Amino acid sequence: MNNYCSILKSPIGDITIIANDTAVTAISFGEKDTKDLVENSISQLAAQQLNHYFEGELRDFMFPMAQNGTEFQQEVWQNLLKIPYAETLSYAKFSAHKPLAIRAIAAANGKNNLAIVVPCHRVIGSDGKLVGYAGELWRKKWLLQHEREVVQKGQTELKF
C-alpha cells in the first residue's frame, strides 16, 4: 500500500498528514521526512477539514482514518472520540470504567497518532492541570482555548 502526505500550515505550526490508499494513518506536528511522498485525495480532504477546524467551522471530522494499535489501544482511541468538542475530562474520569488500568489508558492515549481528530488533547489531569501531550502543552492549551472560543463557552482565558 502506498503512503501519501499533505502538509497543513496551521496557527500552531505545520501539521503533517500521512495517508495510505484508504485512510489517514497519522497526523502530527512539525514536518517529517516526507520528501518522496505526494498528496492524495484522502490526505487533501483531511487537510481541508483540519483547516475548517482551525477556522472554527468544523467540530467533527468525516474522513477515513485508521491507526495501528492493539485492541486495547483501539478501545481507548474510540473512547477519546466520545469526548464532546470543547469539553475536558480528567484521566481519572476517562478511565473510570477500568480504574486499575489508568496508567495503561494514559499510555494508550499517548500513543494516539491522529492528533486533534482523535482528541487526546481533551484529557487533563485530575487537578485540572494540563498534562502529557506529545504535541507540547502549549498546543494542548491552544486547542482547548480555540474550541471553547468557538462554542463561546465559559471563560475566554483558560487557567491551568
Side-chain angles (χ1 to χ4, degrees), residues 5 8 14 17 20 22 24 28 47 63 67-68 85 112 125 130:
C5 175
L8 174 68
D14 289 348
I17 303 161
N20 59 30
T22 59
V24 171
S28 59
F63 55 84
Q67 57 180 322
N68 291 326
Y85 182 89
N112 171 31
L130 297 185

Side-chain angles (χ1 to χ4, degrees), residues 6 25 31 35 44-45 51 53 62-63 65 89 101 104 109 151:
S6 293
T25 58
E31 286 200 38
K35 64 180 181 274
Q44 289 173 332
L45 177 62
N51 196 45
Y53 166 87
M62 298 300 187
F63 55 84
M65 57 186 92
L89 203 58
N109 192 22
V151 296

Side-chain angles (χ1 to χ4, degrees), residues 101-121:
I102 188 168
R103 288 178 193 241
I105 289 170
N109 192 22
K111 295 211 182 302
N112 171 31
N113 288 320
L114 294 171
I116 304 170
V117 299
V118 176
C120 57
H121 63 277

